[in-house]
Amino acid sequence: MTDTLVIYYSLEGNVDFLAREVAKKSSSDIFRLETVKEYPKKGLLKFFHGGKDASMGFKPELKNPVPDLSSYSKIVIGCPVWAGKPAAPLNTLFEESDFSGKKIYLFASSAGGDAEKCLSIMEKKTTEKGGSVIFKDSYVNPLKNIETSLDKINAFCQEIQK
């Protein structure tokens, strides 16, 4: 059994790509957060609903319960950046999880620009629940920049394996 769990939310596949690579390269378990009511994937509605829910701290209902974290010492959390914040499904994760004594590794994916605000919010939420953030990284359009993303993922996984 592995001591690392990758938990992530992905809307368009960028974070899914990153999370699967991290899980594969770090021999980790993986869990995808999926909402009961799906978010629009295109157009203005995508930006409106996603940005609004992230900004308002909305906690969407998940299809499957957040897994028990007690058997893991390391938790990797990844999400897209919505309106500068973590995607709304992470609000549900943070609400329902206890990260006490866990080493936390964070990553965020954006369409362009800095994800520092998003990562700072994720760090605050996980440390408030007892976790210790060890490393964080951001990715810009991972599926359009596969080689660069894979190089960064290798470095990210080296941090996990320390």
Side-chain angles (χ1 to χ4, degrees):
M1 177 179 237
T2 180
D3 70 338
T4 306
L5 174 64
V6 177
I7 302 174
Y8 72 101
Y9 175 77
S10 185
L11 183 65
E12 296 178 326
N14 285 289
V15 176
D16 184 68
F17 163 71
L18 296 170
R20 290 180 184 281
E21 286 296 319
V22 169
K24 180 173 69 176
K25 292 177 192 247
S26 64
S27 301
S28 303
D29 290 339
I30 190 167
F31 180 80
R32 182 176 182 155
L33 300 168
E34 295 180 84
T35 56
V36 171
K37 183 179 177 186
E38 291 187 21
Y39 283 92
K41 291 187 166 117
K42 296 184 186 230
L44 289 176
L45 286 178
K46 171 184 135 180
F47 294 104
F48 175 76
H49 289 292
K52 175 184 66 72
D53 285 0
S55 294
M56 301 297 287
F58 181 67
K59 299 173 190 88
E61 182 181 356
L62 301 176
K63 285 184 181 179
N64 296 307
V66 173
D68 178 10
L69 306 180
S70 62
S71 63
Y72 299 99
S73 63
K74 300 175 183 177
I75 309 294
V76 178
I77 303 171
C79 72
V81 177
W82 288 1
K85 297 184 172 165
L90 266 71
N91 294 328
T92 307
L93 170 69
F94 297 139
E95 175 77 19
E96 297 180 2
S97 299
D98 179 7
F99 298 109
S100 295
K102 309 295 181 196
K103 293 179 180 176
I104 308 294
Y105 302 82
L106 305 171
F107 70 89
S109 171
S110 66
D114 189 15
E116 191 54 43
K117 179 180 174 186
C118 174
L119 289 166
S120 293
I121 292 168
M122 293 169 71
E123 182 171 16
K124 182 177 187 277
K125 299 272 187 183
T126 54
T127 56
E128 285 174 351
K129 293 298 216 67
S132 297
V133 174
I134 306 301
F135 191 75
K136 53 188 178 177
D137 205 0
S138 63
Y139 300 81
V140 177
N141 290 317
L143 291 173
K144 291 180 181 175
N145 301 296
I146 290 178
E147 300 239 354
T148 302
S149 297
L150 289 174
D151 288 345
K152 288 183 76 173
I153 286 294
N154 287 334
F156 190 89
C157 290
Q158 287 175 354
E159 293 295 326
I160 295 169
Q161 293 166 346
K162 284 185 179 179

